[in-house]
Amino acid sequence: MIRVENITKSYGKNTVLDHISFEIPAGETVAIVGPNGAGKTTLLEILMTLRKADSGTIHIMGERLDEQRSVDKIRSKIGVMLQEGGMYQFIKLKEALELFAAFYSVDKEKIERLIAFFELQPYLNTKFHKLSGGWKQRFLLAIAFLHDPALIFLDEPTTGLDPKATQLVWKKLRGGEQKRKTILVSTHSMEEVEKYCDRVIVLKNGRIIENGAPADIKKKLDVDFFSDAYFCLTEGGNE
Amino acid sequence: MKQSVKSIAKLVQYDLVIFFREPFFALPTLLLPGFFFVVYASAFGQAPADRISFGRYIPTYMLLISYLTVFFQIGTQYVTDRQNGIFKRLLLSPIRLLHVVISYSIRGVLVSVLGFFEMTVLAGAVLRIPLSENMLRVFFVFLLLASVMMLLSISIHGFIKNAKNVMLFSILCFQYVFFSTGMIMPVEKMPAAVRFFVYLNPIYHMNQVLISAWYQTRQSAEHVLALAAWVILCLLFVRLQKGFATDK
């Protein structure tokens, strides 16, 4: 599904990504974690086609990401949920669904199914800015799923949410038909990584310092929780 | 092609819906200038001769509405939309940057045209002030100026990164435009040093061009050239900014 070979990215003299390589097969849920400034968002934005890597090659769903034609094809096939939200504050939910459905040529029947799956019916006439944090995230997730993409990028989808809202977001992400989708998520929650992700890529100073299943990493480092493994890897000891 | 047109049409539709729904967007920019025009015209133009002379402010008020909606409001929205990741989100769908720009431009021109007709109706039908003898020509010149206003708005606001800065910038800009377009004081009566800043103001040149079209007098090359220089400068600004929110 995704093949990244030796990519680098710098902003001036600051190297943000330093010779990164990895592969993600179809159907996996993969987390990208790391301390602030490790390069998570930059990596995600390169894979989402928002930024260009300085060197290296990237293949997404069989397309080589280095020409505009491929970029356009990939953009129409992926689903995204941005850290900033990226939604008009004064738009009603049903209007936003209609707007994005027009971009992706999604039919009404599919929209109805999506509304039912994400349980959006009571809020269709509510403006986006009036929703609670949890409902905003749920709606943004619904928009990401609107055209039934095989690959979904999520940039910190549960930041600021309480445990119940977080659980709901993941329930929708992993529930029903969504199980077969490939999901790449950037997060600060080690609990979510352990609970919901098949694999985790740990970044530090723009390099991959670990790449594997959370359970395998815990076993390797002989710790009980993935958060301990994370601190071992990023800070060199348990906390 | 068909899909692009459909996407742009939907984007324009909801751009307009959101524009008119945002508090303090449509009301102060579209309606208040018209209200003040009626107040001033009623207060200072009691006699028919006074009303005719007050007619010279109609194109200025049309331009004022275009400035408030296109430069001030759409410019502010452009910065906040970018800050909220809306452009990023749009660009990550099959929508292209060009579609977003076209949608912004169509909305800017449409809202300006609403202002044009608002002033035409208020002046002609309500206050019975004689209009220009060639309104069609005035309309086309106005459309051209609204497009230049749109370019000014997008290219200048492209340098502003967050909503806090845009408010301060808008307040300063509004003061500058208000005092140096000839709305408050005739430019000829200003001291020479102040007049220099007036000549730098693109809205002042737009106002002169529109007044010329209104009275069907010969366009002064000085104002047309000043606007052409601003258009070139704005295109350079756009090139410098390398797009909206990405480094692609």
Side-chain angles (χ1 to χ4, degrees), chain A residues 93-121 124 139 142-143 145-148, chain B residues 6 10:
Chain A
L93 301 200
K94 67 173 180 188
E95 294 168 344
L97 284 168
E98 199 190 321
L99 178 67
F100 280 87
F103 297 163
Y104 291 104
S105 300
V106 173
D107 59 43
K108 277 188 178 170
E109 198 185 315
K110 229 175 189 174
I111 300 175
E112 291 302 324
R113 275 213 308 270
L114 189 87
I115 290 169
F117 181 73
F118 284 94
E119 299 163 57
L120 299 173
Q121 192 64 44
L124 287 179
F139 178 67
I143 294 284
F145 278 93
L146 182 66
H147 55 299
D148 197 21
Chain B
K6 199 177 145 192
K10 232 2 147 198

Side-chain angles (χ1 to χ4, degrees), chain A residues 9 11 45 48-52 68 71-72 75-76 80 82 84-92 95 98-100 102-105 127 143-144, chain B residues 3 6-8 10-11 13-15 17-18 21-23 77 81-96 245-248:
Chain A
K9 178 75 181 175
Y11 296 118
E45 288 192 344
M48 284 193 263
T49 73
L50 269 175
R51 294 183 190 279
K52 270 184 178 168
Q68 192 57 42
V71 167
D72 290 341
R75 284 180 178 180
S76 63
V80 293
L82 300 172
E84 309 96 309
M87 186 53 63
Y88 297 103
Q89 296 299 306
F90 290 90
I91 200 165
K92 290 178 183 171
E95 294 168 344
E98 199 190 321
L99 178 67
F100 280 87
F103 297 163
Y104 291 104
S105 300
K127 288 175 199 134
I143 294 284
Chain B
Q3 178 56 31
K6 199 177 145 192
S7 296
I8 293 169
K10 232 2 147 198
L11 200 54
Q13 178 193 337
Y14 283 114
D15 263 353
V17 166
I18 294 160
R21 196 176 274 160
E22 291 228 25
Q77 200 179 8
D81 280 0
R82 208 177 37 192
Q83 194 184 0
N84 293 335
I86 289 169
F87 291 146
K88 257 193 204 177
R89 185 62 193 86
L90 289 176
L91 293 184
L92 287 172
S93 71
I95 278 278
R96 285 184 175 196
T246 71
D247 64 349
K248 227 172 86 38

Side-chain angles (χ1 to χ4, degrees), chain A residues 64-82:
Chain A
R64 193 178 151 138
L65 210 168
D66 54 4
E67 52 187 61
Q68 192 57 42
R69 203 165 47 87
S70 308
V71 167
D72 290 341
K73 264 191 187 170
I74 292 166
R75 284 180 178 180
S76 63
K77 288 183 192 169
I78 59 171
V80 293
M81 186 174 163
L82 300 172

Side-chain angles (χ1 to χ4, degrees), chain B residues 166-188:
Chain B
V166 80
M167 283 318 289
L168 178 69
F169 174 75
S170 297
I171 291 166
L172 290 174
C173 248
F174 183 73
Q175 302 292 330
Y176 173 54
V177 166
F178 201 61
F179 287 100
S180 63
T181 308
M183 290 182 197
I184 298 261
M185 188 195 292
V187 173
E188 312 78 58

Side-chain angles (χ1 to χ4, degrees), chain A residues 13-27:
Chain A
K13 284 182 182 172
N14 182 23
T15 303
V16 184
L17 296 175
D18 190 5
H19 297 93
I20 299 270
S21 300
F22 61 87
E23 279 187 41
I24 298 177

Side-chain angles (χ1 to χ4, degrees), chain B residues 15 74 100-110 146-147 150 154:
Chain B
D15 263 353
I74 292 182
V100 181
V101 173
I102 290 172
S103 161
Y104 256 77
S105 306
I106 292 174
R107 174 172 43 133
V109 172
L110 278 179
S147 308
M150 194 68 215
I154 298 296

